[in-house]
Amino acid sequence: MENCSTAATPMSSSSKLDKDDGGQSVNITAYRGLIGSLLYLNVSRPDIQFSIGVCARFQANPKLSHFTTVKRILKYLKEIQNGAKLIERVTSGTCQFLGVRLISWFGKKQTSVATCTAKAEYLVVL
């Protein structure tokens, strides 16, 4: 998948995944391995949670249409990986209350420059 095209979204809005009894079967082990890797990313990537959940429903008997959708998620992750570097800010702080009234607050932003986290996550998937 290193030389594949990229996708702007993790799932096509026009695709309707169903049981697809008449579809071509695919390697169950490979499909489950991809779903497992994507489920690992599920925690840190809320943008792909729905797509992974839909694809995970078909682990018992995956068809080519399901596998194609999983590959689109990987193409989406590749698109994210190819994005610009992100500047992440870690925010910490405290609030002081007297009863129900806020009397003081403090916040601190720490800047850390890092490449997109999808790069490391994408490598885990492969």
Side-chain angles (χ1 to χ4, degrees):
M1 301 263 331
E2 285 183 23
N3 298 324
C4 70
S5 61
T6 60
T9 59
M11 191 173 198
S12 173
S13 60
S14 63
S15 70
K16 306 283 188 223
L17 287 182
D18 58 359
K19 202 171 180 182
D20 195 14
D21 288 327
Q24 180 183 354
S25 295
V26 296
N27 186 340
I28 293 175
T29 306
Y31 186 82
R32 288 181 180 173
L34 285 173
I35 293 294
S37 296
L38 288 171
L39 284 172
Y40 176 75
L41 295 178
N42 201 16
V43 176
S44 61
R45 305 285 317 179
D47 52 338
I48 60 174
Q49 285 180 348
F50 176 76
S51 301
I52 295 169
V54 170
C55 293
R57 296 177 192 166
F58 304 104
Q59 291 186 70
N61 191 18
K63 302 295 182 182
L64 187 59
S65 60
H66 308 130
F67 194 72
T68 303
T69 304
V70 171
K71 288 196 311 188
R72 182 178 173 104
I73 296 170
L74 294 176
K75 290 178 180 183
Y76 172 73
L77 291 174
K78 183 177 181 180
E79 172 71 24
I80 298 297
Q81 175 193 2
N82 292 338
K85 294 186 182 234
L86 298 176
I87 297 177
E88 296 179 359
R89 293 189 178 264
V90 179
T91 306
S92 62
T94 61
C95 294
Q96 302 296 319
F97 289 90
L98 181 60
V100 294
R101 301 191 192 277
L102 177 67
I103 56 173
S104 72
W105 63 275
F106 168 78
K108 182 177 182 182
K109 291 184 178 180
Q110 301 171 340
T111 305
S112 63
V113 178
T115 58
C116 183
T117 57
K119 180 176 181 179
E121 294 166 351
Y122 179 74
L123 294 175
V124 169
V125 173
L126 296 178

